[in-house]
């Protein structure tokens, strides 16, 4: 049985005050659900991770990083390692978010190293996959998602992949207000689960949580969650508003 998972990716938003307040409010108002019925994690910007992790340390809310570097330490100016993230209380990492792929230019090969480094460092990576609008229009969704999944998990054993969550985020649905229909999400989640069964085994495929992301709101979260292979939601904009994010958590729990 896959426990629902709602994650809030704050991207490059909030400040010291608003990040801590938002996390505290989410933690306190979801305390009766989180842990038992649902997993909830927030992904603040790096600079607020420590204060947010401290603010929610007595709750069941987990904290994750929006990115991670694959080297353990050394001369990598500006980068943050898995052990540093673990040190300040992070549990999760996002690897290969579409903005890192398409704005920053991260490759499947780099993302694979980040997934591997997260697991080796004792963190739980969320590997993000998803096609561009031009790729969907050219009927390449399955091809793109398959490539991103296979390359992102390359070289990892079944045991290691059991630490991974997958997030399907169609790029055309991110920040656009144009959510994938629940059927479109289900179709791709089904492809991902079948692929996991093919690459590893059916037990791993059945246990892996696959989240949907892209313009999730309190108005569409329940419908998305009603699909058999949608196990959770990766929420951007709506996770910055405590009331909206809490409503999404309730609808998923
Ligand atoms: P929005 O919910 O703002 O579309 O962002 C989705 C996303 O990228 C979450 O990682």
């Amino acid at each position: 049985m896959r426990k629902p998972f709602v994650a809030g990716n704050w991207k490059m938003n909030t400040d010291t005050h608003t990040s801590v307040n938002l996390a505290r409010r989410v933690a306190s108002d979801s305390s009766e659900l989180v842990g038992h019925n649902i997993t909830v994690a927030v992904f603040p910007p790096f600079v607020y991770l420590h204060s947010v992790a401290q603010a929610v340390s007595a709750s069941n809310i987990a904290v994750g990083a929006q990115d991670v570097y694959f080297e353990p330490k050394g001369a990598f100016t500006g980068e943050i390692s898995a052990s540093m993230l673990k040190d300040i209380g992070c549990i999760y990492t996002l690897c290969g978010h579409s903005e890192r792929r398409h704005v920053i230019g991260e490759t499947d090969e780099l993302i694979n190293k980040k997934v591997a480094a997260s697991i080796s460092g004792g963190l739980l990576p969320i590997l993000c996959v998803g096609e561009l609008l031009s790729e969907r229009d050219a009927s390449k969704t399955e091809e793109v998602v398959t490539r991103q999944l296979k390359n992102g998990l390359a070289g990892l054993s079944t045991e290691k992949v059991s630490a991974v969550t997958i997030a399907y985020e169609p790029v055309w649905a991110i920040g656009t207000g144009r959510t994938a229909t629940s059927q479109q999400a289900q179709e791709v989640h089904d492809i991902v689960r079948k692929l996991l069964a093919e690459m590893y085994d059916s037990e791993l495929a059945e246990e892996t949580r696959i989240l949907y992301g892209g313009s999730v709101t309190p108005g569409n979260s329940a419908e998305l969650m009603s699909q058999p292979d949608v196990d959770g939601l990766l929420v951007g904009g709506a996770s910055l508003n405590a009331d909206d994010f809490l409503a999404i958590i309730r609808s998923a729990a």
Side-chain angles (χ1 to χ4, degrees), residues 9 11 97 99 169 173-176 213-216 234-238:
N9 175 12
K11 308 192 180 184
H97 188 275
E99 284 138 25
E169 296 204 302
I174 297 178
T176 57
S215 297
V216 174
L234 179 51
V235 187

